[in-house]
Amino acid sequence: MMTSSGSISINADQEEQPLAVKSSVIAYISQKLGHLPSDIVSIDQYESLDGSLSIETLQIEFGSIWTIRFSEPDDQTPGRSWSVEISVGELNNEILVGFRLNCFSRNYDFDFDNSVPRILRSLVNMFSYSDYGYKLSQNAITIQSNSDSEFLYDLINNTKRWRNIVAVSCDENFDSLVDYNGLAYKLSGVAHVVAINPSASFHLSSLLGKELSVFDRGVRTYRPSFSEEDQPTRHPLILRRQIDKVPVITRRKFEEAIRRDCFRMSIERDGLARVVPSFVDIRLAASKARLTALGHHNSSNDDLVRAEIEARKAAESQSEAAMSMALQEEELRKEIESERDNYRAQLYAIRDRVEALEHRLSVAGEQLETGTRPASYDEISPWVEQNFSGKLVLHPRAKKALKNAAYEDIGVVCETLSLLANEYRKVCLGEMRKEEFDSVISNKHLDMSGSISEERAKEFNEEYFINWRGNKSFLHGHIQKGNSRDERYCLRVYFLWEPEDSLIVVGWLPSHLTNRLT
């Protein structure tokens, strides 16, 4: 349901820090479960009679891992219980901390307030708790200068980052439409929460591009594995109009959705089992290690039998835990897929409605495009979004290419995009004959063909491929004007047809991509 990990440095004058971390964990658990053995912090292996508390220690080459697990029933939901696992590893001059929160329910009713347990907030607050070079905090980070924006830009692009970054856009006085301090408190150790003012937001836009920035008191969640070629929808943006002047309960639902997404990201990270090993994994490894050690020391048969039984039970527990987690993940997958399908159905219905209205306007002789056509390349991206939403989209790589465009006739670029979004899309949908389209573009001195063979495209690394919907997709389409190698007089637009969404995706323009001639 939720995981976290981090490290605490051990300074020369803080030799007792590992004991202090363990003591904080024990103090928290004792408040939950009541009286515990007085020496429990130094016990390597323990199991309470009712099974609510377990401790295991695994000796490894460069140190040890101490892990504790406790569970308690949910006070408000019958049949539901919570399990918290905390592991503390002492390696060289560093304390590695792993944290797992699991929910078990007979009815798979996993709706709950997504807030980290108090012990995780305590560890973040009391110790210098950090991860991938960044100190974690239970308070929102204030971003108010250019250097702050550059710090945020580096954090967004950090390849080791597995946490979401929740960026809350504020006014000059850092007033916001959502409670960023409340979010930071409830997401301590699980996400980075930042509050950014207008000037810092403007500078961030110059670094990331406006499509991937956050502004005007909106809220954006930057997910891990960030790339400037990501579709903006991969990093969800809540606009001001969605949260301004709405009932408080509606705003709270947005905040809950943000927290839920942060929790989900924490369990979808790569290599989770290695970075945050579960209690049963550590117990199984420790049981096998003890069994191996007994075999090397000519122990009695009784000791070996007991060790083998212990190892078998640990293996069974691991299997049961894996099955339980798989069931939870399956339910979560079904829920996410159902939500996706509902949104897609709504999108298709809206798109069909818009196209029906556009057809009626076209029959009546009305102009479908709104606003004037762009006079500069900076204006093309918003113009495309305003006029061709649901029909044609500029991939982030194409938007980036427009910043350095040299082709001298921007009017031809706009006309070509309009032809792709309207006439050519009708060809793809079977609503227009290809011969008719060829006649239209021929009259405009344009020519369409395949970009290059996919096999030959592989000779030029990733130039002819884009990341689309999480997959590597080939830019098979190519529309051109002019044969000059001078970029000022040569137009090339590379695109692909996305049949699932009935969408033209432009991956590069307006210059020529590499081929054997270039």
Side-chain angles (χ1 to χ4, degrees):
M1 297 299 292
M2 185 273 288
T3 69
S4 181
S5 63
S7 63
I8 300 170
S9 299
I10 305 175
N11 299 323
D13 58 345
Q14 293 179 314
E15 295 181 358
E16 299 300 317
Q17 203 162 14
L19 180 61
V21 173
K22 291 182 182 179
S23 297
S24 295
V25 173
I26 293 296
Y28 168 75
I29 295 174
S30 65
Q31 291 179 356
K32 291 282 188 178
L33 302 183
H35 178 71
L36 300 176
S38 58
D39 60 343
I40 195 167
V41 74
S42 60
I43 296 177
D44 288 343
Q45 189 180 20
Y46 178 80
E47 190 78 38
S48 64
L49 293 176
D50 62 359
S52 62
L53 180 65
S54 305
I55 294 176
E56 190 59 78
T57 303
L58 173 64
Q59 299 298 328
I60 56 179
E61 184 177 359
F62 299 107
S64 64
I65 301 176
W66 175 85
T67 182
I68 187 166
R69 177 182 65 188
F70 77 94
S71 58
E72 59 179 344
D74 192 302
D75 293 334
Q76 299 180 352
T77 306
R80 190 163 72 178
S81 63
W82 296 92
S83 171
V84 176
E85 300 177 6
I86 304 166
S87 55
V88 181
E90 298 178 45
L91 303 175
N92 300 323
N93 292 320
E94 198 170 39
I95 303 171
L96 301 181
V97 179
F99 191 97
R100 284 175 176 259
L101 171 68
N102 295 306
C103 176
F104 301 94
S105 175
R106 290 197 300 263
N107 302 314
Y108 298 109
D109 49 346
F110 296 114
D111 291 333
F112 65 94
D113 182 29
N114 289 276
S115 177
V116 302
R118 177 167 50 84
I119 179 57
L120 181 53
R121 287 197 297 269
S122 297
L123 294 176
V124 169
N125 192 41
M126 292 172 58
F127 302 96
S128 184
Y129 194 71
S130 62
D131 203 5
Y132 38 81
Y134 290 84
K135 188 177 183 301
L136 304 176
S137 174
Q138 67 174 7
N139 300 311
I141 303 170
T142 300
I143 307 295
Q144 56 185 337
S145 65
N146 285 359
S147 60
D148 290 339
S149 296
E150 288 156 13
F151 162 86
L152 177 56
Y153 176 78
D154 290 340
L155 178 59
I156 291 171
N157 283 279
N158 190 304
T159 56
K160 295 181 179 180
R161 175 176 67 87
W162 58 264
R163 294 172 174 84
N164 279 352
I165 299 172
V166 181
V168 181
S169 174
C170 308
D171 63 15
E172 292 80 359
N173 299 316
F174 280 92
D175 289 329
S176 65
L177 296 174
V178 301
D179 181 9
Y180 52 80
N181 282 320
L183 282 172
Y185 182 78
K186 291 192 172 186
L187 293 171
S188 301
V190 176
H192 305 278
V193 179
V194 303
I196 183 168
N197 70 1
S199 60
S201 176
F202 182 80
H203 187 61
L204 183 67
S205 296
S206 70
L207 300 172
L208 290 177
K210 186 176 180 180
E211 293 85 0
L212 288 168
S213 189
V214 58
F215 44 83
D216 191 30
R217 305 189 78 181
V219 181
R220 172 154 251 152
T221 300
Y222 293 98
R223 290 175 173 153
S225 303
F226 177 86
S227 168
E228 292 185 17
E229 291 193 2
D230 286 342
Q231 285 295 309
T233 51
R234 184 174 178 268
H235 307 282
L237 174 65
I238 302 173
L239 298 171
R240 175 177 180 170
R241 59 180 171 80
Q242 295 175 271
I243 50 179
D244 193 11
K245 298 178 182 178
V246 298
V248 173
I249 190 171
T250 302
R251 198 172 295 173
R252 294 293 176 265
K253 286 182 178 179
F254 277 111
E255 294 177 5
E256 170 59 24
I258 291 170
R259 297 200 303 272
R260 186 166 57 249
D261 190 66
C262 293
F263 270 44
R264 183 171 60 84
M265 282 295 117
S266 77
I267 63 175
E268 291 185 355
R269 57 191 291 197
D270 293 334
L272 177 61
R274 176 181 54 82
V275 179
V276 189
S278 68
F279 179 89
V280 292
D281 288 339
I282 294 175
R283 169 156 284 183
L284 178 60
S287 299
K288 289 181 176 178
R290 284 192 289 269
L291 182 59
T292 301
L294 287 172
H296 290 162
H297 291 87
N298 298 318
S299 302
S300 68
N301 287 335
D302 288 345
D303 289 338
L304 285 171
V305 168
R306 280 194 294 270
E308 287 177 355
I309 292 173
E310 181 183 288
R312 189 185 74 243
K313 288 182 177 179
E316 290 173 351
S317 295
Q318 184 189 46
S319 177
E320 291 172 0
M323 178 62 73
S324 177
M325 184 59 69
L327 289 172
Q328 292 188 36
E329 290 176 352
E330 177 65 12
E331 290 298 318
L332 180 60
R333 182 189 65 79
K334 290 179 180 178
E335 179 184 333
I336 292 172
E337 287 187 352
S338 176
E339 185 175 344
R340 179 203 63 194
D341 291 343
N342 286 336
Y343 281 128
R344 179 165 287 175
Q346 293 176 34
L347 175 64
Y348 288 167
I350 293 171
R351 187 183 63 195
D352 290 344
R353 173 65 173 165
V354 169
E355 291 188 4
L357 292 172
E358 287 182 343
H359 177 71
R360 290 172 60 182
L361 288 172
S362 178
V363 170
E366 296 289 340
Q367 175 68 35
L368 297 182
E369 284 186 20
T370 60
T372 58
R373 285 196 169 179
S376 70
Y377 281 106
D378 290 339
E379 299 172 0
I380 285 185
S381 181
W383 173 74
V384 166
E385 291 178 7
Q386 183 178 22
N387 286 282
F388 307 133
S389 179
K391 296 181 177 181
L392 179 144
V393 63
L394 296 178
H395 187 270
R397 189 192 294 180
K399 293 178 181 179
K400 190 174 182 179
L402 286 172
K403 294 179 180 179
N404 301 311
Y407 186 67
E408 63 176 8
D409 195 338
I410 192 172
V412 174
V413 176
C414 295
E415 182 63 19
T416 302
L417 292 173
S418 177
L419 288 168
L420 285 173
N422 295 304
E423 284 81 356
Y424 183 69
R425 181 170 176 271
K426 289 181 179 179
V427 173
C428 295
L429 293 172
E431 299 172 0
M432 183 177 188
R433 292 171 56 245
K434 179 67 163 56
E435 293 76 11
E436 292 181 57
F437 176 74
D438 289 340
S439 176
V440 170
I441 64 172
S442 177
N443 291 334
K444 297 181 181 295
H445 306 291
L446 294 167
D447 180 60
M448 178 178 284
S449 64
S451 60
I452 190 174
S453 72
E454 191 165 353
E455 282 302 314
R456 184 172 295 178
K458 294 176 182 177
E459 298 176 14
F460 308 106
N461 297 319
E462 302 298 313
E463 281 197 45
Y464 287 85
F465 298 88
I466 59 172
N467 187 350
W468 180 253
R469 301 281 195 257
N471 297 311
K472 183 178 177 181
S473 300
F474 175 51
L475 296 171
H476 56 76
H478 172 237
I479 192 165
Q480 66 181 43
K481 183 174 184 178
N483 294 312
S484 173
R485 291 299 165 185
D486 189 330
E487 291 186 1
R488 293 174 298 172
Y489 312 117
C490 176
L491 170 68
R492 297 291 186 273
V493 180
Y494 299 84
F495 62 90
L496 61 86
W497 166 246
E498 173 53 76
E500 186 175 1
D501 294 322
S502 302
L503 192 67
I504 302 289
V505 183
V506 176
W508 184 267
L509 79 166
S511 61
H512 210 303
L513 290 177
T514 306
N515 59 30
R516 289 181 178 178
L517 295 177
T518 57

Short mmCIF file of all heavy atoms in Angstrom, two decimals, residues 345-367:
data_model
loop_
_atom_site.label_atom_id
_atom_site.label_comp_id
_atom_site.label_asym_id
_atom_site.label_seq_id
_atom_site.Cartn_x
_atom_site.Cartn_y
_atom_site.Cartn_z
N ALA A 345 -14.00 6.50 -22.28
CA ALA A 345 -15.35 6.53 -22.84
C ALA A 345 -15.90 7.95 -22.85
O ALA A 345 -16.54 8.38 -23.83
CB ALA A 345 -16.26 5.61 -22.02
N GLN A 346 -15.65 8.69 -21.75
CA GLN A 346 -16.10 10.09 -21.71
C GLN A 346 -15.41 10.91 -22.78
O GLN A 346 -16.03 11.75 -23.45
CB GLN A 346 -15.80 10.68 -20.33
CG GLN A 346 -16.61 10.07 -19.19
CD GLN A 346 -16.19 10.64 -17.85
OE1 GLN A 346 -15.84 11.81 -17.75
NE2 GLN A 346 -16.23 9.83 -16.82
N LEU A 347 -14.10 10.67 -22.96
CA LEU A 347 -13.34 11.41 -23.97
C LEU A 347 -13.88 11.14 -25.36
O LEU A 347 -14.08 12.07 -26.16
CB LEU A 347 -11.86 11.01 -23.89
CG LEU A 347 -10.95 11.60 -24.96
CD1 LEU A 347 -10.88 13.11 -24.82
CD2 LEU A 347 -9.54 11.01 -24.85
N TYR A 348 -14.16 9.87 -25.68
CA TYR A 348 -14.67 9.53 -27.00
C TYR A 348 -16.03 10.17 -27.23
O TYR A 348 -16.32 10.65 -28.34
CB TYR A 348 -14.78 8.01 -27.15
CG TYR A 348 -13.46 7.29 -27.26
CD1 TYR A 348 -13.37 5.91 -27.14
CD2 TYR A 348 -12.28 8.00 -27.50
CE1 TYR A 348 -12.15 5.25 -27.25
CE2 TYR A 348 -11.06 7.36 -27.59
CZ TYR A 348 -11.00 5.98 -27.47
OH TYR A 348 -9.80 5.35 -27.57
N ALA A 349 -16.88 10.16 -26.21
CA ALA A 349 -18.21 10.75 -26.35
C ALA A 349 -18.11 12.25 -26.62
O ALA A 349 -18.81 12.80 -27.48
CB ALA A 349 -19.04 10.49 -25.10
N ILE A 350 -17.21 12.92 -25.88
CA ILE A 350 -17.03 14.36 -26.07
C ILE A 350 -16.47 14.64 -27.46
O ILE A 350 -16.90 15.57 -28.16
CB ILE A 350 -16.11 14.93 -24.99
CG1 ILE A 350 -16.79 14.85 -23.62
CG2 ILE A 350 -15.71 16.36 -25.30
CD1 ILE A 350 -15.87 15.18 -22.45
N ARG A 351 -15.49 13.81 -27.88
CA ARG A 351 -14.88 14.03 -29.19
C ARG A 351 -15.90 13.85 -30.31
O ARG A 351 -15.96 14.64 -31.26
CB ARG A 351 -13.72 13.05 -29.39
CG ARG A 351 -12.92 13.32 -30.66
CD ARG A 351 -11.84 12.29 -30.85
NE ARG A 351 -12.43 10.97 -31.03
CZ ARG A 351 -11.72 9.83 -30.93
NH1 ARG A 351 -10.45 9.87 -30.60
NH2 ARG A 351 -12.32 8.67 -31.11
N ASP A 352 -16.73 12.81 -30.19
CA ASP A 352 -17.76 12.58 -31.21
C ASP A 352 -18.74 13.75 -31.27
O ASP A 352 -19.18 14.18 -32.35
CB ASP A 352 -18.52 11.29 -30.93
CG ASP A 352 -17.66 10.06 -31.15
OD1 ASP A 352 -16.60 10.19 -31.80
OD2 ASP A 352 -18.03 8.98 -30.65
N ARG A 353 -19.08 14.28 -30.10
CA ARG A 353 -19.99 15.42 -30.03
C ARG A 353 -19.37 16.64 -30.70
O ARG A 353 -20.03 17.34 -31.48
CB ARG A 353 -20.32 15.72 -28.57
CG ARG A 353 -21.13 16.98 -28.32
CD ARG A 353 -22.52 16.89 -28.90
NE ARG A 353 -23.33 18.03 -28.51
CZ ARG A 353 -24.48 18.35 -29.09
NH1 ARG A 353 -24.97 17.60 -30.08
NH2 ARG A 353 -25.17 19.39 -28.68
N VAL A 354 -18.08 16.88 -30.42
CA VAL A 354 -17.39 18.03 -31.01
C VAL A 354 -17.32 17.89 -32.52
O VAL A 354 -17.57 18.85 -33.27
CB VAL A 354 -15.97 18.16 -30.41
CG1 VAL A 354 -15.14 19.16 -31.21
CG2 VAL A 354 -16.04 18.58 -28.96
N GLU A 355 -17.01 16.68 -33.00
CA GLU A 355 -16.89 16.49 -34.44
C GLU A 355 -18.25 16.65 -35.13
O GLU A 355 -18.32 17.14 -36.26
CB GLU A 355 -16.28 15.12 -34.73
CG GLU A 355 -14.81 15.04 -34.30
CD GLU A 355 -14.14 13.77 -34.76
OE1 GLU A 355 -14.78 12.96 -35.47
OE2 GLU A 355 -12.97 13.57 -34.41
N ALA A 356 -19.31 16.22 -34.47
CA ALA A 356 -20.65 16.40 -35.04
C ALA A 356 -20.97 17.89 -35.17
O ALA A 356 -21.52 18.34 -36.18
CB ALA A 356 -21.69 15.70 -34.17
N LEU A 357 -20.63 18.66 -34.14
CA LEU A 357 -20.86 20.10 -34.18
C LEU A 357 -20.00 20.77 -35.25
O LEU A 357 -20.45 21.69 -35.95
CB LEU A 357 -20.58 20.72 -32.81
CG LEU A 357 -21.55 20.33 -31.69
CD1 LEU A 357 -21.05 20.85 -30.34
CD2 LEU A 357 -22.95 20.88 -31.97
N GLU A 358 -18.74 20.31 -35.37
CA GLU A 358 -17.86 20.87 -36.39
C GLU A 358 -18.41 20.60 -37.79
O GLU A 358 -18.32 21.45 -38.68
CB GLU A 358 -16.45 20.30 -36.25
CG GLU A 358 -15.68 20.83 -35.06
CD GLU A 358 -14.27 20.28 -35.00
OE1 GLU A 358 -14.00 19.26 -35.68
OE2 GLU A 358 -13.43 20.85 -34.28
N HIS A 359 -18.96 19.40 -37.98
CA HIS A 359 -19.53 19.06 -39.29
C HIS A 359 -20.70 19.99 -39.62
O HIS A 359 -20.83 20.48 -40.76
CB HIS A 359 -19.98 17.61 -39.29
CG HIS A 359 -20.63 17.19 -40.58
ND1 HIS A 359 -19.92 17.03 -41.75
CD2 HIS A 359 -21.94 16.91 -40.88
CE1 HIS A 359 -20.75 16.67 -42.71
NE2 HIS A 359 -21.98 16.59 -42.21
N ARG A 360 -21.55 20.25 -38.64
CA ARG A 360 -22.70 21.13 -38.85
C ARG A 360 -22.23 22.54 -39.19
O ARG A 360 -22.79 23.21 -40.07
CB ARG A 360 -23.58 21.14 -37.61
CG ARG A 360 -24.33 19.83 -37.39
CD ARG A 360 -25.04 19.81 -36.06
NE ARG A 360 -26.03 20.88 -35.95
CZ ARG A 360 -26.77 21.10 -34.86
NH1 ARG A 360 -26.62 20.30 -33.79
NH2 ARG A 360 -27.65 22.08 -34.83
N LEU A 361 -21.17 23.01 -38.50
CA LEU A 361 -20.63 24.34 -38.80
C LEU A 361 -20.04 24.38 -40.19
O LEU A 361 -20.20 25.37 -40.93
CB LEU A 361 -19.56 24.70 -37.76
CG LEU A 361 -20.06 25.03 -36.35
CD1 LEU A 361 -18.89 25.17 -35.39
CD2 LEU A 361 -20.88 26.33 -36.37
N SER A 362 -19.36 23.30 -40.59
CA SER A 362 -18.73 23.25 -41.91
C SER A 362 -19.79 23.28 -43.00
O SER A 362 -19.64 23.99 -44.01
CB SER A 362 -17.88 21.98 -42.03
OG SER A 362 -17.30 21.88 -43.30
N VAL A 363 -20.86 22.52 -42.81
CA VAL A 363 -21.95 22.51 -43.79
C VAL A 363 -22.58 23.89 -43.90
O VAL A 363 -22.99 24.33 -44.99
CB VAL A 363 -23.01 21.45 -43.39
CG1 VAL A 363 -24.26 21.59 -44.24
CG2 VAL A 363 -22.43 20.05 -43.51
N ALA A 364 -22.64 24.60 -42.79
CA ALA A 364 -23.23 25.94 -42.78
C ALA A 364 -22.26 27.00 -43.29
O ALA A 364 -22.60 28.19 -43.34
CB ALA A 364 -23.68 26.29 -41.37
N GLY A 365 -21.03 26.58 -43.66
CA GLY A 365 -20.05 27.52 -44.19
C GLY A 365 -19.31 28.31 -43.14
O GLY A 365 -18.67 29.33 -43.45
N GLU A 366 -19.37 27.87 -41.89
CA GLU A 366 -18.69 28.58 -40.81
C GLU A 366 -17.20 28.21 -40.76
O GLU A 366 -16.80 27.10 -41.12
CB GLU A 366 -19.33 28.24 -39.47
CG GLU A 366 -20.77 28.68 -39.33
CD GLU A 366 -20.90 30.18 -39.20
OE1 GLU A 366 -19.90 30.83 -38.84
OE2 GLU A 366 -21.99 30.72 -39.46
N GLN A 367 -16.37 29.14 -40.30
CA GLN A 367 -14.94 28.91 -40.12
C GLN A 367 -14.72 28.10 -38.86
O GLN A 367 -15.18 28.48 -37.78
CB GLN A 367 -14.20 30.25 -40.02
CG GLN A 367 -12.72 30.14 -39.72
CD GLN A 367 -11.94 29.51 -40.86
OE1 GLN A 367 -12.27 29.72 -42.02
NE2 GLN A 367 -10.94 28.72 -40.54
#
